[in-house]
Amino acid sequence: MAGMNEQFQRELLKLGFISYSEQDTLWSIAKRCAAIAGLPLGVAIGVASAKGGTVVVPGVGTISAGLAGFLAGLTSGTAMCTAANLSYRNEMRRLLQ
């Protein structure tokens, strides 16, 4: 691509969306995604469902709806970000070369 210079490439890498390091494992991607997508979504859903009472979780017992909402948001936000990161990683590498 004609308009993609080294400065633009460095900025993309700073965003943490992709990394050329082959040691960037699924675990490190998931940790980064938990921080940038999972936590904000978890907090938002947890606050929204805080007055929902309690929820029965098989094998665990009864937990508050706020905690259940937080955990659901944390899990889904992390999963969405990780899936997107892995899906677009190879395409972004190809574009940066």
Side-chain angles (χ1 to χ4, degrees):
M1 255 174 120
M4 198 174 295
N5 60 21
E6 287 184 33
Q7 176 64 29
F8 180 72
Q9 292 173 353
R10 281 193 298 272
E11 290 299 318
L12 282 177
L13 292 173
K14 282 183 197 175
L15 291 174
F17 187 70
I18 61 170
S19 172
Y20 278 107
S21 170
E22 292 304 319
Q23 297 178 15
D24 194 16
T25 63
L26 178 61
W27 178 251
S28 65
I29 292 170
K31 285 193 321 187
R32 184 173 55 240
C33 284
I36 63 171
L39 283 175
L41 186 59
V43 169
I45 295 175
V47 168
S49 60
K51 293 186 179 184
T54 59
V55 177
V56 177
V57 179
V60 176
T62 303
I63 61 172
S64 71
L67 178 59
F70 172 76
L71 294 174
L74 176 66
T75 304
S76 60
T78 302
M80 288 185 298
C81 174
T82 302
N85 191 296
L86 294 175
S87 297
Y88 294 116
R89 173 185 250 173
N90 291 332
E91 184 64 22
M92 293 297 287
R93 282 185 180 161
R94 188 184 68 74
L95 286 172
L96 290 173
Q97 292 176 351

